[in-house]
Amino acid sequence: MIIRDATPDDAVAACAVLRASIVELCEADHRGNPDILGRWLANKTPEIVAGWADGQGRSLLVAVEEEAILAVGGLAHPNEITVNYVSPRARFRGVSSAMVAVLERRAAALGAREIDLLSTETAHRFYLARGYVDVGTLAGKFGTAASYPMRKTLLAR
């Protein structure tokens, strides 16, 4: 597996991973509610995802194995993880952990001393196990019951 910067040509496959991850793996968040899913998936189109790969104040990364995209990660420069979704077929293989590590290194290279994100209920324990802590007030993004503002201090270079 390699993790590399996404290109606009990756948009269709990356979008499919984002959507499958949300629908299949984030049941604790959307609870099968079509209104929540509709709001959450509204900006997960190939056209929008291609725009995220423009490198303009952000990075979009993909984890790739044998030409298949396994995960998609995004960073708003310099220090906010905006997306981190794994393909259901790659879950529990360490792909998300590897993606977070690369996003953290990218943030540190951009001068960030800490990194922020808004975690789903599904991923909350995942981020706690990687040194993130809860900060701020719970939010209900897209109509979900809880989204967790989280932060991690990055090691000095």
Side-chain angles (χ1 to χ4, degrees):
M1 175 189 71
I2 64 162
I3 297 177
R4 62 168 172 76
D5 284 291
T7 69
D9 291 339
D10 294 318
V12 171
C15 183
V17 168
L18 293 167
R19 294 177 72 86
S21 183
I22 291 165
V23 171
E24 297 177 40
L25 302 180
C26 296
E27 175 71 25
D29 298 280
H30 61 70
R31 302 172 306 281
N33 182 312
D35 292 332
I36 294 171
L37 277 168
R39 286 191 294 275
W40 201 345
L41 297 173
N43 70 339
K44 311 308 185 285
T45 67
E47 296 78 21
I48 290 173
V49 173
W52 296 346
D54 67 6
Q56 300 299 308
R58 60 188 164 211
S59 297
L60 187 69
L61 305 175
V62 288
V64 180
E65 182 178 76
E66 297 177 11
E67 306 298 318
I69 293 178
L70 304 179
V72 180
L75 180 73
H77 297 170
N79 70 328
E80 181 189 4
I81 294 176
T82 55
V83 294
N84 182 29
Y85 291 99
V86 65
S87 167
R89 69 180 188 86
R91 190 175 193 197
F92 301 122
R93 289 184 38 203
V95 178
S96 293
S97 294
M99 179 64 75
V100 168
V102 171
L103 291 167
E104 290 173 356
R105 285 194 299 273
R106 175 78 52 101
L110 291 166
R113 295 178 182 231
E114 51 190 22
I115 191 161
D116 296 319
L117 58 84
L118 186 63
S119 175
T120 61
E121 180 73 35
T122 300
H124 188 235
R125 286 191 322 228
F126 168 85
Y127 288 114
L128 288 170
R130 280 144 192 88
Y132 287 79
V133 296
D134 293 320
V135 295
T137 306
L138 290 180
K141 194 167 184 182
F142 307 118
T144 60
S147 301
Y148 299 84
M150 303 186 82
R151 177 171 295 142
K152 179 179 181 179
T153 301
L154 300 174
L155 298 175
R157 292 186 294 177

